[in-house]
């Protein structure tokens, strides 16, 4: 099993540019989560999907952030326009539907730097 | 609003001694608590969990204690090993799919 796949692993962009982060969950997992890790706030849940439907997006910081899950094997997190304060590591995680939280498996993360 | 707090950003212990990592929470609806371990350049991995109906759960060298009245949990690692050096995140859940994480504690175990 390849695990959760995230791309790119590193992204450096300039303020104002659009950034798209990608995630491929583990096959057969029906729940997908996007997290952001910063030094100050640790790991924050941004949004999660169940069966491709967004369930809770209350963690999305601003309208500049949007997430989609067009099918069970792919999700994107988009930031437009990006700002320096968006610099962080973004993690995607997946779990089986109805699974306990300890069944969430995390990807390796995307380190985003906005100059 | 930080519902899960890890007030110690770092901890250093000697190999073979006990490591104690602490976590506090504010939401009384949380009923499931977890610890995750994270190495550099990797995603967090699940370590151990505890349900609110218990006050202790043990798995090998790792034990998690829960004090519901104090809204406090701790992770004990005995004996600590250099390979345990990592960032440890405390997490809590009030429903099956949703977790809130603390800011993490960086543990360094010195040989």
């Amino acid at each position: 099993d390849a695990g959760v796949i995230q791309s790119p692993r590193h992204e450096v962009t300039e303020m104002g540019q659009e950034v798209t982060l990608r995630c491929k969950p583990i096959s057969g997992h029906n729940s997908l989560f996007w997290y952001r890790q910063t030094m100050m706030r640790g790991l924050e849940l941004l949004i999660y999907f169940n069966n491709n439907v967004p369930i809770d997006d209350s963690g999305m910081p601003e309208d500049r952030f949007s997430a989609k899950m067009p099918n069970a094997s792919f999700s994107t997190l988009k930031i437009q326009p990006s700002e320096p304060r968006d610099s962080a590591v973004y993690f995607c995680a997946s779990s089986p539907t109805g699974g306990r939280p300890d069944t969430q498996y995390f990807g390796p993360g995307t380190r985003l730097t906005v100059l | 609003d930080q519902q899960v707090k890890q007030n110690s950003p770092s901890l250093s212990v000697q190999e073979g001694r006990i490591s104690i990592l602490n976590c506090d929470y504010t939401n009384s609806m949380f009923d499931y608590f977890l610890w995750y371990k994270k190495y550099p350049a990797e995603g967090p991995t699940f370590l151990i969990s505890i349900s609110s109906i218990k006050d202790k759960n043990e798995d090998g060298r790792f034990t998690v204690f829960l004090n519901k009245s104090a809204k406090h949990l701790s992770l004990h690692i005995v004996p600590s090993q250099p390979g345990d050096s990592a960032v440890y995140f405390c997490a809590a859940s009030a429903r099956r799919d949703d977790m809130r994480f603390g800011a993490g504690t960086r543990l360094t175990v010195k040989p």
Side-chain angles (χ1 to χ4, degrees), chain A residues 9 33 45 56 98 101-102 107, chain B residues 32 36 41 43 95-98:
Chain A
R9 292 296 306 275
F33 308 80
L45 177 65
D56 183 355
D102 55 4
Chain B
Y32 198 71
Y36 278 77
R95 55 186 178 190
R96 308 193 75 163
D97 285 338
D98 189 8

Side-chain angles (χ1 to χ4, degrees), chain A residues 43-114:
Chain A
L43 272 167
E44 300 175 274
L45 177 65
L46 300 178
I47 185 171
Y48 81 93
F49 296 83
N50 195 18
N51 291 322
N52 312 337
V53 177
I55 301 300
D56 183 355
D57 65 354
S58 59
M60 296 286 263
E62 299 173 34
D63 292 344
R64 299 184 294 107
F65 287 69
S66 62
K68 294 182 179 180
M69 192 165 185
N71 57 63
S73 59
F74 184 65
S75 177
T76 60
L77 178 67
K78 185 175 294 186
I79 308 173
Q80 165 65 18
S82 58
E83 297 181 4
R85 60 194 169 119
D86 301 330
S87 297
V89 181
Y90 291 81
F91 290 100
C92 175
S94 70
S95 75
T97 298
R100 292 185 321 206
D102 55 4
T103 61
Q104 284 192 28
Y105 293 84
F106 284 77
T110 295
R111 180 174 295 278
L112 173 65
T113 302
V114 183

Side-chain angles (χ1 to χ4, degrees), chain A residues 36 40-45 58-59, chain B residues 1-6 24-28 30 92 98-103:
Chain A
R36 177 173 68 175
M40 292 298 296
R41 299 180 64 83
L43 272 167
E44 300 175 274
L45 177 65
S58 59
Chain B
D1 178 25
Q2 285 280 75
Q3 298 183 53
V4 179
K5 298 179 181 179
Q6 293 176 256
D24 298 294
Y25 61 94
T26 58
N27 189 342
S28 57
F30 287 143
D98 189 8
M99 279 194 289
R100 304 294 169 178
F101 283 82

